[in-house]
Amino acid sequence: PYRRQRQMCIRDSYKAVNKVNKYYKKALKKEEVSREVATFNMGHILDCANVMCFDDNSKSFEEALKSADEPEEIIALFNQVTLRKL
């Protein structure tokens, strides 16, 4: 069961990250966001997604991520996350 949960987490994270990546690519082409902002935000999102797939306490975040349809919603969810070094 644990392995299956992790596979689902990875799949759902991938979908969310991919959706946001497409959003930022389009925004960059339209010059709606700077490259620095897009790069910084994507870096944070990738770091969070990576940690989330190995954290047993991320179930509620994973559920919120699954229910987020729009890239802006996904970005807002990841912006609520603060990563700490242990």
Side-chain angles (χ1 to χ4, degrees), residues 21-70:
N21 188 46
K22 288 178 185 178
Y23 169 82
Y24 277 125
K25 281 183 177 182
K26 288 179 184 177
L28 282 168
K29 283 183 184 178
K30 294 178 182 179
E31 297 181 358
E32 296 173 343
V33 67
S34 72
R35 182 166 298 280
E36 292 78 19
V37 169
T39 302
F40 179 81
N41 289 348
M42 280 304 300
H44 176 71
I45 289 169
L46 288 168
D47 288 342
C48 292
N50 188 35
V51 169
M52 183 179 71
C53 288
F54 297 100
D55 186 354
D56 295 331
N57 298 323
S58 64
K59 192 70 175 164
S60 62
F61 186 81
E62 292 171 37
E63 292 300 322
L65 198 57
K66 272 198 250 185
S67 67
D69 292 327
E70 298 299 319

